[in-house]
């Protein structure tokens, strides 16, 4: 009976190892595809603290090291080490794909409190599970640097790839100053995480705002043309001899 139990346990361990190795193979193929289509991006300055960045190409040296470590662990039957390496590779792959980790979602109330610690922030509220709405006290604080500062405060609380910060000035005096600045914590402006739903937070859409700017510019051009035309007509009238003289 003891021998039978040991044999069954060995079979279970073998199956688990085979499953993990299969996951490793799938992960290897996916990462190889990503590596073949991505180039290395410029690294930030060493003294510059920046938020985590997703969507970056996977480090080939790190990937090869993880594969080697996982295979060595599988050969010695160390399943925990194999699983740890595979999980790490899957996390690297997820970040390269810009896919937020739902298991590490940022705590919403803790995020509100953390964001309020940033200089210039007046109030913070969640619009939904993804969009954080932040109002700053001055127009000068409505910048991507402020968004970076908020994201850095949120990083210890979970995966900020699942957070979009929407920044508005509480001191806005015109339509342009009232415009909301939005960005995912780990992506470039305008980029979105995989499976993320776009939400139009700004009351006035960017397209309508651009159209209004163009209309204003054209109106100024028309007014300038009318002014110059009136001046030309006045000069013409003054310099043209009267037919009654």
């Amino acid at each position: 009976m003891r021998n039978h139990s040991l044999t069954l346990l060995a079979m279970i361990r073998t199956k688990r190892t085979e499953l993990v190795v299969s996951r490793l193979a799938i992960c290897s193929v996916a990462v190889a595809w990503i590596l073949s289509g991505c180039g290395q991006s410029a690294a930030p300055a060493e003294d510059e603290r920046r938020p985590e960045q997703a969507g970056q190409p996977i480090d080939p040296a790190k990937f090869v090291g993880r594969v080697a470590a996982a295979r060595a662990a599988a050969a010695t039957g160390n399943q925990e080490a194999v699983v740890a390496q595979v999980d790490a590779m899957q996390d690297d792959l997820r970040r390269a794909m810009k896919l937020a980790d739902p298991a590490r979602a940022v705590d919403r109330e803790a995020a509100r409190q953390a964001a309020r610690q940033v200089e210039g922030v007046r109030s913070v509220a969640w619009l939904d599970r993804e969009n954080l709405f932040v109002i700053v006290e001055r127009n000068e604080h409505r910048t991507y640097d402020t968004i970076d500062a908020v994201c850095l405060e949120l990083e210890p609380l979970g995966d900020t790839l699942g957070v979009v910060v929407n920044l508005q000035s509480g001191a806005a005096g015109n339509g342009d100053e009232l415009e909301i600045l939005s960005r995912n914590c780990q992506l470039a402006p305008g980029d979105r995480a995989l499976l993320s739903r776009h939400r139009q937070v700004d009351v006035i859409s960017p397209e309508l705002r651009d159209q209004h700017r163009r209309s204003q510019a054209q109106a100024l051009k028309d007014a300038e043309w009318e002014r110059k035309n009136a001046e030309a007509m006045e000069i013409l009238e003054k310099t043209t001899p009267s037919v009654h003289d």
Side-chain angles (χ1 to χ4, degrees), residues 202-221:
D202 216 335
V203 177
I204 303 176
S205 68
E207 295 77 14
L208 185 58
R209 197 181 297 277
D210 289 341
Q211 182 181 353
H212 179 63
R213 290 195 186 102
R214 289 194 298 269
S215 298
Q216 283 185 319
Q218 186 60 47
L220 289 174
K221 288 181 180 179

Side-chain angles (χ1 to χ4, degrees), residues 183-194:
R183 201 196 73 210
N184 182 290
C185 273
Q186 298 191 29
L187 301 174
D191 199 0
R192 287 186 291 168
L194 187 63

